Amino acid sequence: MKLRFFLSEALDSLVRNWVMSVAAIVTVLVSMFVLGIGAVIFVNLEQASSSVRSKLEIEVFMKNTASPDQISQLGDQIRAMPEVRVVNYVSKEEAMNRLRESMKGHEDVLAALSGNPLPPSYEIYLKDPSLIDSVASRFYDNPNVDNDSIAHLGANMSPDATTLKFSTGDPSKLAAIAANMYLIVDNEVMKASGDPSGNNVSVIRAQAGTTAAAHNANAEVYNTDGVKTGGNTSDRVITVTHYIEMGGAGFVALLAVASILLISNTIRLSIFARRREVEIMRLVGATSWFIRWPFIMEGIFTGLVGATGAMVLFLLVQKYFIDKIISQMPFMGMGVDTVSTFWLILSIIGGGCLLGSLGSSLALRRFLKI
Amino acid sequence: MIRFENVTKTYDPNIVGLKDVNVHIERGEFAFLVGHSGSGKSTFIRLLLKEFEPTKGSIAVAGRNLGRMRRAAVPHHRRSIGCVFQDFKLLPNRSVAENVAYALRVTGQPVRSIRRKVPEILQLVGLGEKMNNLPDELSAGEQQRVSVARAFVNHPSLLVADEPTGNLDPDTSVGIMQLLYRINRTGTTVLMATHDREMVDKMRKRVIALEEGSVVRDEDKGLYR
Ligand SMILES: Nc1ncnc2c1ncn2[C@@H]1O[C@H](COP(=O)(O)OP(=O)(O)O)[C@@H](O)[C@H]1O
Ligand SMILES: [Mg+2]
């Protein structure tokens, strides 16, 4: 019975003070909309950066002299590490198959190889990519591991296109290795094998000095600045995603604070215009809560209408704008998560109610001091 | 009913509102509070309603000491006092009936009894026909009747009026005076602040005269002078 009275009071005053009501609703709408867009951008950046990070890996090559026992021993050791998410064993044969696959059209290069010079290796994916260096360093003193070829691999947009990825922390060492015993094929091959970015340099292990191609490639390695040591790349990726995360969170927090201030200010204005009414109510013996409830319901209603408007606008923008943009950029590997849309809607509406009621209670405090 | 003991109220920075006032008003009495503008009449009434605290002294209304009253009890205290003001203090956007009903709603009365009591009291003050009008569609005298109806609809044991006829012409004032008189006859204590000499002299009720915040005269069946 009281509830009905409060509700009708709230609606009456919304209609009566419609200019203020519209102003408050538009304020909520705009700030919730901007907040929503900010949140979606943030969530997607997060997703994109974590998908980049999940491709970071360590590749540990065994020495060709390592026995099967030693190989499987190292495998157990890796699996026991708590930081490790996934371990793949790549046998000599598997490595060769991958190499063949990626060298389609360049079979002459392979033909120059005598036998299978590729060593077996472990591909390691970590739970937390920032640990890449500390995990990788554990393999340096293992006598069965080829120290120079522990690869910290950077972002590879197309994992299928990689052959045998290799890098070392020291570029001068890379050149030396290349000159002595490795065949290095630069990004020309990557393009040919379908890497859309074409930026990654793949390093393929082969017997030293076997083909003319090796020497040509050597020359290129020395002066290509496209040679990325994986360690640096992963560091960079991690740093950048950290900045994106921090910047995004800061931006969203700033927007939220701005919205609350705007809304409470708008409601305060509308209450200020009615402070005489409030004073009369108090003189007639209304309790603070009796006066407060209609205002709070008004705030909730304002928040609800504004947030619903924001949501509709948001869904329209997503349908006609964001989705289109994303479909233009398939390599971004992201899309607005449709599952989260439900939570987004829920939080926008909940947020609207909260903002409205919080704003009106905040604004009322000043006028309800006895 | 009302007991002021050595009450002093000083406004910031150093303005005298009331000075060492001692007043007892018995249940069922009709008393005038007279004095020039600025003599402290409104201060007296606002202290009664606990709009603010006295600087010194103690105030009791209906046996309750206002100094010891919790803040949460203040709304209940105000409901037990009907008040009428010079500027009517009606809610501008509500009908006459809704204005009167508001005083019942704050007490949490059921809708049905509100529907019964409001027309009844409006009939009593002669506004049965204007229930659904907005305040600014009424004359000043009619607005003051609405305000009296609102003050009395809860049947409070005390009704205070601060210059209720201050904005009205003499004929209309007589009508409001008669209403207050009838309300007093039902046993309600009435305290009315005024500087309407004729009215006071005609009524021959108790007169408490204030001057610069002090009580300078207090006599039964008095004149304004
Ligand atoms: N809120 C206030 N702040 C400061 N001074 C006030 C306030 N209210 C009243 N006064 C002063 O207190 C004195 C008494 O005022 P008031 O009680 O309103 O007198 P009356 O109602 O008899 O005209 C006057 O000098 C007035 O200026
Ligand atoms: Mg006054």
Side-chain angles (χ1 to χ4, degrees):
Chain A
M1 149 221 121
K2 252 189 188 170
L3 187 78
R4 271 226 331 254
F5 173 68
F6 290 148
L7 263 175
S8 81
E9 286 277 287
L11 288 178
D12 270 8
S13 105
L14 271 170
V15 172
R16 215 181 291 126
N17 307 285
W18 67 270
V19 177
M20 270 303 178
S21 311
V22 169
I25 287 172
V26 168
T27 305
V28 175
L29 193 151
V30 170
S31 34
M32 290 302 284
F33 176 70
V34 174
L35 204 68
I37 293 283
V40 164
I41 290 172
F42 174 65
V43 163
N44 280 289
L45 279 181
E46 253 269 324
Q47 252 168 30
S49 69
S50 69
S51 81
V52 165
R53 279 186 304 180
S54 74
K55 285 174 186 157
L56 295 174
E57 56 183 295
I58 303 173
E59 202 158 7
V60 179
F61 297 97
M62 306 304 297
K63 281 183 179 158
N64 271 323
T65 54
S67 72
D69 266 2
Q70 288 167 329
I71 292 171
S72 67
Q73 212 176 0
L74 184 67
D76 294 341
Q77 205 180 317
I78 294 170
R79 271 181 275 275
M81 290 177 183
E83 301 92 337
V84 171
R85 187 160 57 85
V86 176
V87 188
N88 283 334
Y89 175 65
V90 181
S91 66
K92 279 176 81 81
E93 294 71 32
E94 172 68 17
M96 198 57 183
N97 286 341
R98 288 186 184 183
L99 182 57
R100 261 197 208 99
E101 188 69 22
S102 69
M103 297 285 281
K104 279 211 172 94
H106 292 259
E107 280 82 1
D108 54 323
V109 178
L110 289 177
L113 297 176
S114 55
N116 180 356
L118 301 178
S121 68
Y122 285 104
E123 289 175 349
I124 304 168
Y125 296 83
L126 298 177
K127 288 171 187 157
D128 179 359
S130 64
L131 299 172
I132 204 160
D133 284 327
S134 86
V135 173
S137 66
R138 288 175 212 165
F139 302 105
Y140 289 142
D141 44 8
N142 189 313
N144 300 312
V145 170
D146 187 349
N147 276 344
D148 286 331
S149 63
I150 294 166
H152 312 196
L153 289 161
N156 242 306
M157 291 305 183
S158 165
D160 300 335
T162 62
T163 50
L164 232 167
K165 297 170 288 184
F166 168 81
S167 69
T168 127
D170 184 355
S172 63
K173 212 167 194 176
L174 183 71
I177 296 161
N180 286 332
M181 49 180 286
Y182 293 99
L183 163 69
I184 297 184
V185 183
D186 72 354
N187 46 6
E188 282 307 304
V189 173
M190 290 302 293
K191 274 179 194 154
S193 61
D195 183 340
S197 72
N199 291 324
N200 289 331
V201 172
S202 261
V203 183
I204 298 166
R205 287 178 141 226
Q207 214 71 32
T210 43
T211 63
H215 296 292
N216 292 340
N218 270 351
E220 280 197 56
V221 165
Y222 280 107
N223 53 22
T224 321
D225 63 355
V227 175
K228 288 177 183 164
T229 61
N232 287 344
T233 310
S234 63
D235 275 357
R236 225 173 19 241
V237 171
I238 288 162
T239 322
V240 168
T241 56
H242 263 314
Y243 282 132
I244 290 173
E245 273 176 28
M246 270 161 52
F251 182 65
V252 169
L254 219 71
L255 278 177
V257 170
S259 320
I260 290 177
L261 288 182
L262 263 173
I263 290 162
S264 105
N265 214 44
T266 312
I267 294 173
R268 182 177 301 171
L269 272 174
S270 105
I271 292 172
F272 188 74
R274 280 181 279 166
R275 68 196 181 288
R276 221 183 94 84
E277 266 186 78
V278 170
E279 188 200 303
I280 294 170
M281 291 167 181
R282 277 185 16 213
L283 279 173
V284 177
T287 61
S288 296
W289 277 107
F290 195 85
I291 298 169
R292 208 176 267 145
W293 271 119
F295 280 106
I296 290 180
M297 286 184 184
E298 201 180 323
I300 291 177
F301 190 80
T302 304
L304 211 66
V305 172
T308 309
M311 200 182 64
V312 169
L313 198 64
F314 177 81
L315 292 177
L316 287 176
V317 165
Q318 175 172 317
K319 184 158 182 231
Y320 293 108
F321 223 69
I322 297 179
D323 286 355
K324 285 233 170 73
I325 290 175
I326 285 168
S327 68
Q328 301 283 301
M329 303 188 292
F331 60 89
M332 296 284 281
M334 59 168 162
V336 175
D337 192 354
T338 46
V339 180
S340 73
T341 307
F342 170 76
W343 289 107
L344 199 81
I345 289 170
L346 209 70
S347 49
I348 285 181
I349 287 179
C353 289
L354 203 74
L355 283 186
S357 54
L358 221 72
S360 52
S361 335
L362 261 176
L364 271 165
R365 267 176 27 154
R366 274 186 42 202
F367 295 102
L368 283 179
K369 282 184 191 134
I370 298 262
Chain B
M1 191 70 204
I2 299 171
R3 184 176 289 265
F4 272 52
E5 276 172 359
N6 308 316
V7 172
T8 295
K9 168 68 189 176
T10 314
Y11 291 105
D12 288 341
N14 208 0
I15 302 164
V16 177
L18 283 183
K19 209 161 64 192
D20 202 25
V21 168
N22 285 286
V23 168
H24 300 181
I25 296 173
E26 298 303 321
R27 191 172 287 274
E29 248 187 295
F30 193 119
F32 285 114
L33 201 58
V34 302
H36 297 295
S37 180
S39 58
K41 304 182 297 292
S42 294
T43 303
F44 192 101
I45 284 172
R46 297 178 74 188
L47 281 167
L48 270 182
L49 293 168
K50 203 171 156 75
E51 280 192 57
F52 41 63
E53 303 301 316
T55 316
K56 264 193 258 153
S58 76
I59 301 168
V61 178
R64 283 184 309 238
N65 187 327
L66 297 197
R68 276 194 233 119
M69 186 178 283
R70 286 174 302 113
R71 261 172 72 132
V74 172
H76 297 268
H77 168 62
R78 290 185 183 155
R79 283 173 213 167
S80 69
I81 304 174
C83 37
V84 178
F85 299 92
Q86 183 171 5
D87 58 354
F88 321 136
K89 293 202 193 300
L90 298 175
L91 298 167
N93 302 309
R94 291 164 213 250
S95 69
V96 165
E98 264 309 312
N99 262 283
V100 176
Y102 198 85
L104 292 170
R105 294 200 197 275
V106 298
T107 66
Q109 292 213 16
V111 178
R112 210 188 307 147
S113 88
I114 293 175
R115 285 220 187 94
R116 183 170 48 78
K117 284 180 182 171
V118 171
E120 221 172 74
I121 191 96
L122 283 172
Q123 223 97 56
L124 200 81
V125 300
L127 282 173
E129 305 298 313
K130 307 226 164 164
M131 284 204 343
N132 297 315
N133 289 58
L134 289 175
D136 59 9
E137 295 165 354
L138 305 183
S139 72
E142 287 169 331
Q143 287 187 50
Q144 195 59 297
R145 282 166 186 275
V146 177
S147 148
V148 172
R150 179 181 64 187
F152 193 57
V153 72
N154 275 322
H155 295 282
S157 51
L158 172 64
L159 190 144
V160 296
D162 191 356
E163 308 204 32
T165 59
N167 279 348
L168 308 178
D169 57 66
D171 287 348
T172 322
S173 299
V174 170
I176 296 295
M177 214 47 240
Q178 279 170 346
L179 268 179
L180 294 180
Y181 180 70
R182 275 163 64 194
I183 286 170
N184 176 241
R185 290 288 294 275
T186 67
T188 304
T189 313
V190 174
L191 175 67
M192 172 171 161
T194 185
H195 52 228
D196 187 335
R197 175 186 301 270
E198 255 183 76
M199 195 73 75
V200 174
D201 288 349
K202 229 184 316 193
M203 296 285 291
R204 301 304 299 250
K205 294 286 186 188
R206 180 176 173 186
V207 173
I208 301 161
L210 289 171
E211 230 167 75
E212 287 171 9
S214 302
V215 177
V216 291
R217 182 161 57 91
D218 184 349
E219 56 187 29
D220 283 340
K221 300 201 166 89
L223 294 170
Y224 188 93
R225 267 203 294 215

